[in-house]
Amino acid sequence: MNRLISTTLVAFAFAVGAKADGGSIVPGGNWNDTKGAAINAHGGCVQYADGFYYWFGEDRNGMKCNGVSCYRSSDLYSWTRVGLALTPTGTMTDENRDIAKGRTFERPKVVYNATTGKWVMWVHWENGSDYGQAKVCVAQADKIEGPYTLVDVFRPNDHDSRDQTLFLDTDGRAYHICSTNMNTNTNIALLSDDYLTPTATENLQLLGKKYEAASIFKVGDIYYGLFSGCTGWTPNRGRYTYTYDLLGQWVSGNDFKDQDGSTGINFCIDKGKDNTYQSQSAYVFPVQGKDKCFVYMGDRWNSGNVQSSKYIWLPVSIRSGYPAVRWYDSWNLSIFDNMYRYKRVAEVEDGGEYCLLERNSDRVVSRPKSSLSLEDDGESNIFFVFHKTDIPYIYKIEEKATGKYIESLFGSLRFQTEVDKDTQKWVLVLEEDGYYHIQNYSDGACISVSGNETMAGTPVYLNEKDKNIHQSFALYFDSEKHPEYVEADMYSKSYREKNRELMAAQDEAMSIEGISGSQDLYSDIAVADGHVTISGMQGSTVVTVYTVSGVYVAGARGTSVSFDLNPGIYLLRICDKVVKVRIS
Ligand code: DGJ
């Protein structure tokens, strides 16, 4: 009997059309609505109102557009079709200002206007034959699900507008963001108070980068943007931007360069990342009741039959300070439960226990076997105890599990019993975004990511400091083990400002603190352009050269040693004496 009941329940769960296996999301799977019909909502967005998520998208019949569909769900797994939110109506006009059947409606986006009490929809509009019109269709409704009635079809501020999205800020201002100038640049325009038209407050972003498929979301004071490149229906590598000022300068990393010259750092970090897991971004929406938890909505386009295109929805993590999208064959909302368990520490404390989160992979330095690699959160993550030394910013770093200290042994990263040697001392060189270069005090070697890879299993090793190698790690604590630790305010606008001050203070402190020692160990230091010579040393003495932030530059031994140096300020360490010199 019991068995009969449970069998019936399972059958029912599938019968109501949960699009996956009854409470999970299967990216790229066959997603059906509660009536068992394939969900038809492409290039869309998801909004939340009154206890329901509403999914809007392009309703297609093959390549033809039927308008904008709307589906409703309380759990993001099971979707009920509400119907068409925007229905083509009227006849085609020569002015191309209609929403007649046969027109093209792409990338519909919907926001709520709290002032007017209306729901507002913006859609990329084309004439149905080609992509030459590059207009938007604006419509509004009294209820989220519609029906939406046409306000107008136009080119915003007379610019061409193709891939487009809306962003509603926390202050109630809304923005239209689109690819413009034949997809060369991205335009952002502040909308009028009713959200129905763009104002004159607008500017061009990402000049010449040819970004498409903008999806904007906000955490704290930071606005993130996910984009694709511009290759029609064919997927390409995703890339992200961030800014603290939407109408100001958007930052897009330059460490990747496509063949077409476009740049930006990939937000995908797993196998399949080179083409965004065969998808193109459509939208990023927040999960209700879960702080900093977002879903990436992408389309795996079928260029010959857009109707049958699949949906790629994946969780977005921004715990690294930047968006990271991992691949999951199947996932559910519980994925978010532990997403922010590791938190960035506000300040490095003596004796604090931290793991090292790598900037580009969102992954943790780990030791699944004897050697180090980047791994997802789990047992193999290494927690280190950071021990302050007498020199500011310089730490000894102990692996908590073994009590061994990390050491640079002739440039190789080793775990050794504690010794009082510089090879076990590490300079934490702060960067603006709160990451550190972790550089050995003795030989200057930095903890580095092999091949700049981001996938789990990527080896971590020592290499010389090089801006082309991923060498940035931030210190995170396990908030379940250490709820008393203070989390960094890393999504606030002031975070980077404060870090810039700390970086200046680090330079300053290293130079002041470093000038110490009692003995006269040399007779002369001669500084010339690009050159310094220390002479008259007793016996064969080791001299090491550091930058003012404590980064190793060079070393030599003798009674008289010389260094060729680039212009700048350096610290010369001669036994226990440190002398500051300026090379011009
Ligand atoms: C790429 C865009 O992102 C899609 O929305 C669609 O317009 C295709 N181009 C058409 O080629």
Side-chain angles (χ1 to χ4, degrees):
M1 185 62 187
N2 278 346
R3 176 182 276 184
L4 199 69
I5 290 173
S6 63
T7 310
T8 312
L9 284 175
V10 169
F12 178 72
F14 281 103
V16 296
K19 70 179 180 219
D21 52 356
S24 60
I25 291 174
V26 180
N30 292 321
W31 293 17
N32 291 337
D33 66 18
T34 49
K35 286 197 170 145
I39 293 178
N40 195 350
H42 310 279
C45 69
V46 165
Q47 288 293 345
Y48 186 81
D50 302 327
F52 288 98
Y53 293 96
Y54 289 83
W55 176 3
F56 299 89
E58 301 163 24
D59 194 288
R60 298 270 193 163
N61 183 1
M63 297 302 283
K64 290 202 185 102
C65 296
N66 305 321
V68 177
S69 56
C70 177
Y71 293 80
R72 179 167 49 210
S73 171
S74 58
D75 58 11
L76 292 176
Y77 306 128
S78 170
W79 291 92
T80 300
R81 184 173 172 100
V82 181
L84 282 182
L86 181 78
T87 308
T89 179
T91 49
M92 291 194 185
T93 57
D94 290 344
E95 310 86 69
N96 288 312
R97 241 180 138 173
D98 58 84
I99 53 167
K101 208 167 173 137
R103 300 305 198 182
T104 301
F105 306 99
E106 286 188 358
R107 298 188 170 268
K109 303 291 176 262
V110 168
V111 288
Y112 179 65
N113 188 313
T115 311
T116 61
K118 305 265 191 199
W119 289 88
V120 179
M121 178 187 286
W122 285 54
V123 194
H124 172 196
W125 187 100
E126 296 291 352
N127 63 10
S129 313
D130 54 42
Y131 281 87
Q133 291 294 315
K135 289 183 171 180
V136 291
C137 154
V138 178
Q140 66 176 345
D142 293 325
K143 291 193 290 180
I144 182 167
E145 67 269 35
Y148 286 77
T149 51
L150 177 66
V151 175
D152 207 353
V153 174
F154 57 94
R155 278 191 161 191
N157 286 337
D158 293 329
H159 304 301
D160 58 319
S161 167
R162 292 188 171 83
D163 278 13
Q164 59 107 53
T165 193
L166 295 177
F167 175 71
L168 177 58
D169 206 345
T170 40
D171 63 3
R173 291 169 184 233
Y175 299 84
H176 180 248
I177 296 107
C178 67
S179 301
T180 193
N181 309 137
M182 298 300 287
N183 290 331
T184 305
N185 305 317
T186 298
N187 193 70
I188 174 161
L190 174 67
L191 298 186
S192 53
D193 290 346
D194 57 12
Y195 303 168
L196 300 178
T197 52
T199 66
T201 304
E202 64 173 349
N203 66 40
L204 288 175
Q205 295 287 350
L206 308 170
L207 297 181
K209 288 186 182 290
K210 299 189 177 130
Y211 283 14
E212 275 193 334
S215 312
I216 312 290
F217 62 107
K218 186 182 187 186
V219 179
D221 296 333
I222 311 182
Y223 302 89
Y224 296 102
L226 304 192
F227 298 83
S228 71
C230 183
T231 53
W233 297 109
T234 310
N236 54 55
R237 180 177 58 72
R239 64 242 25 222
Y240 69 78
T241 61
Y242 68 89
T243 182
Y244 294 90
D245 176 6
L246 264 186
L247 290 164
Q249 185 66 40
W250 296 6
V251 184
S252 129
N254 286 323
D255 69 344
F256 281 99
K257 222 168 197 160
D258 274 352
Q259 281 168 347
D260 65 2
S262 66
T263 57
I265 301 174
N266 201 343
F267 55 83
C268 295
I269 56 175
D270 279 333
K271 189 161 179 261
K273 63 187 175 166
D274 292 342
N275 61 11
T276 322
Y277 311 124
Q278 288 181 61
S279 76
Q280 186 180 31
S281 46
Y283 202 68
V284 173
F285 68 87
V287 176
Q288 289 305 303
K290 291 182 187 278
D291 188 30
K292 301 190 288 286
C293 295
F294 296 89
V295 176
Y296 162 84
M297 288 174 77
D299 298 284
R300 184 173 286 175
W301 297 117
N302 178 341
S303 60
N305 179 355
V306 171
Q307 179 186 1
S308 64
S309 303
K310 303 289 189 229
Y311 309 102
I312 305 297
W313 287 18
L314 289 164
V316 183
S317 160
I318 43 101
R319 72 164 170 182
S320 69
Y322 302 101
V325 177
R326 287 172 167 72
W327 174 260
Y328 295 94
D329 290 338
S330 170
W331 61 281
N332 60 39
L333 296 183
S334 69
I335 204 104
F336 294 112
D337 293 349
N338 279 319
M339 189 175 264
Y340 295 93
R341 172 172 166 174
Y342 293 171
K343 299 183 188 303
R344 189 178 301 179
V345 72
E347 240 173 79
V348 190
E349 302 284 352
D350 189 23
E353 294 173 20
Y354 314 116
C355 61
L356 303 178
L357 187 92
E358 195 276 319
R359 183 199 274 152
N360 293 280
S361 62
D362 189 36
R363 291 190 154 111
V364 180
V365 174
S366 306
R367 207 139 82 107
K369 298 196 186 107
S370 61
S371 53
L372 296 184
S373 54
L374 297 175
E375 304 292 344
D376 285 319
D377 299 10
E379 290 294 305
S380 69
N381 301 159
I382 308 176
F383 276 85
F384 294 103
V385 184
F386 278 66
H387 299 282
K388 282 193 171 166
T389 65
D390 293 342
I391 315 169
Y393 308 102
I394 296 180
Y395 292 81
K396 298 184 82 170
I397 304 176
E398 176 193 358
E399 186 185 36
K400 187 172 158 52
T402 60
K404 297 273 173 80
Y405 285 70
I406 56 169
E407 173 169 329
S408 172
L409 204 68
F410 306 114
S412 279
L413 194 59
R414 293 288 152 82
F415 289 78
Q416 305 283 5
T417 30
E418 187 185 9
V419 284
D420 187 22
K421 282 198 199 153
D422 287 354
T423 50
Q424 286 189 358
K425 291 178 185 161
W426 299 86
V427 191
L428 296 192
V429 188
L430 181 64
E431 299 174 80
E432 191 184 297
D433 57 0
Y435 283 81
Y436 295 101
H437 268 70
I438 303 178
Q439 186 158 32
N440 191 268
Y441 191 47
S442 162
D443 61 13
C446 285
I447 300 182
S448 307
V449 176
S450 177
N452 289 344
E453 253 309 338
T454 58
M455 288 189 257
T458 298
V460 172
Y461 71 123
L462 287 185
N463 204 337
E464 58 191 46
K465 191 167 188 208
D466 185 336
K467 66 177 171 36
N468 296 314
I469 300 176
H470 291 174
Q471 295 177 328
S472 299
F473 300 86
L475 273 48
Y476 280 65
F477 63 96
D478 184 341
S479 61
E480 276 187 15
K481 291 207 175 115
H482 291 289
E484 76 282 9
Y485 283 16
V486 181
E487 186 184 357
D489 188 15
M490 59 186 274
Y491 306 102
S492 70
K493 193 172 181 181
S494 57
Y495 184 65
R496 280 173 190 253
E497 284 158 24
K498 197 174 146 220
N499 284 340
R500 280 193 288 272
E501 284 167 22
L502 291 172
M503 287 162 74
Q506 178 165 15
D507 279 357
E508 185 66 19
M510 289 304 288
S511 54
I512 294 165
E513 194 66 33
I515 298 168
S516 62
S518 51
Q519 285 172 275
D520 275 335
L521 296 152
Y522 57 89
S523 60
D524 188 38
I525 294 182
V527 181
D529 279 0
H531 198 75
V532 60
T533 302
I534 304 100
S535 54
M537 288 183 290
Q538 301 153 6
S540 183
T541 304
V542 175
V543 180
T544 26
V545 183
Y546 299 89
T547 66
V548 283
S549 55
V551 176
Y552 174 91
V553 176
R557 177 194 286 273
T559 50
S560 173
V561 294
S562 296
F563 300 98
D564 290 329
L565 297 169
N566 292 326
I569 300 173
Y570 296 90
L571 304 177
L572 305 180
R573 197 149 178 266
I574 310 160
C575 290
D576 69 341
K577 190 173 182 79
V578 179
V579 180
K580 189 161 64 165
V581 292
R582 179 188 293 277
I583 306 290
S584 42

